[in-house]
Amino acid sequence: DAKTTQPTSMDCAEGRAANLPCNHSTISGNEYVYWYRQIHSQGPQYIIHGLKNNETNEMASLIITEDRKSSTLILPHATLRDTAVYYCIVRRDNFNKFYFGSGTKLNVKP
Amino acid sequence: EAGVAQSPRYKIIEKRQSVAFWCNPISGHATLYWYQQILGQGPKLLIQFQNNGVVDDSQLPKDRFSAERLKGVDSTLKIQPAKLEDSAVYLCASSSEVGDRFFGPGTRLTVL
């Protein structure tokens, strides 16, 4: 499975958009990009995933570059409750394994 | 929909003692996972069950860790004997055929 690279930490002002980048330059054609987050003292929580096209749900938007070597998770209006560690993961289609890296610690500040 | 349940939430033991964790997955989820999360790191997969069979236990330290999933529902993870480096949060997750994982709140283990 392709490895991912994320910044260790980021700050964001409450109410502003949080843009979390992820590099996955060795991603292969059948690998999806998944995002999870982990709020302090809780288990990881699924946010969104995509293959090629940009995706949006009630939590976030996922923008994947045309060459699929990087992606950005966008939280359109960050709140204090969005403070968490965000994990970008790639996994193969129809193959259940995936691996967590160290993620990005997002600090949303008032 | 009820989530993944785990117990206990916290456990403190001394090294060389034994400990067991319990997980009840989401109803109907055939796949169950145990992860170990050391402070400051992402979760690491220890073992994956499909129904009551083991799919992947390549990262499980089999000399001291064991896990079972009798009847393909609940699961227990045991450490015997515990070492200081086993201090971590142990997360249980389950998934349906689609593959999206739902995680429990975890058990925080402290080995003194």
Side-chain angles (χ1 to χ4, degrees):
Chain A
D1 291 315
K3 292 184 178 179
T4 63
T5 304
Q6 298 177 255
T8 304
S9 65
M10 293 181 63
D11 291 337
C12 177
E14 188 179 19
R16 304 297 294 268
N19 297 283
L20 292 93
C22 179
N23 286 320
H24 31 79
S25 58
T26 60
I27 193 170
S28 56
N30 62 354
E31 287 183 315
Y32 287 79
V33 180
Y34 274 73
W35 284 83
Y36 279 74
R37 74 178 182 183
Q38 188 171 23
I39 294 170
H40 183 63
S41 296
Q42 297 182 23
Q45 174 193 24
Y46 166 81
I47 301 173
I48 198 168
H49 75 280
L51 183 62
K52 293 182 181 179
N53 300 321
N54 298 335
E55 302 287 343
T56 296
N57 63 19
E58 64 278 6
M59 290 182 68
S61 294
L62 174 60
I63 309 298
I64 303 174
T65 58
E66 191 169 346
D67 63 8
R68 301 206 328 120
K69 293 184 177 182
S70 65
S71 61
T72 301
L73 178 74
I74 301 173
L75 307 178
H77 306 285
T79 70
L80 298 178
R81 288 178 295 179
D82 292 322
T83 293
V85 177
Y86 288 77
Y87 296 99
C88 170
I89 299 161
V90 293
R91 79 171 180 104
R92 292 182 219 173
D93 183 22
N94 294 326
F95 190 70
N96 234 2
K97 283 187 181 181
F98 64 69
Y99 301 94
F100 289 88
S102 298
T104 296
K105 178 69 166 66
L106 176 67
N107 298 301
V108 181
K109 300 185 176 181
Chain B
E1 175 182 78
V4 176
Q6 290 188 247
S7 68
R9 290 296 312 276
Y10 305 92
K11 189 73 176 179
I12 301 174
I13 61 173
E14 295 187 351
K15 60 183 179 183
R16 292 188 289 273
Q17 286 188 319
S18 301
V19 65
F21 313 126
W22 173 83
C23 173
N24 181 240
I26 292 174
S27 178
H29 279 190
T31 310
L32 184 147
Y33 317 80
W34 283 101
Y35 286 82
Q36 179 193 58
Q37 186 171 26
I38 293 172
L39 186 65
Q41 299 180 17
K44 181 183 82 171
L45 180 68
L46 292 176
I47 188 168
Q48 176 181 339
F49 290 95
Q50 182 74 18
N51 296 309
N52 60 347
V54 176
V55 174
D56 181 5
D57 63 356
S58 57
Q59 298 294 309
L60 187 74
K62 299 179 184 65
D63 57 333
R64 298 184 299 107
F65 286 64
S66 64
E68 60 182 11
R69 191 183 184 198
L70 300 176
K71 301 181 181 178
V73 181
D74 294 5
S75 177
T76 56
L77 176 69
K78 297 179 182 178
I79 307 175
Q80 179 179 14
K83 293 185 176 182
L84 297 177
E85 58 261 37
D86 298 332
S87 293
V89 175
Y90 291 84
L91 295 160
C92 179
S94 68
S95 68
S96 64
E97 292 300 320
V98 174
D100 294 334
R101 261 149 251 221
F102 293 86
F103 285 81
T107 296
R108 182 176 298 276
L109 173 67
T110 301
V111 182
L112 302 176

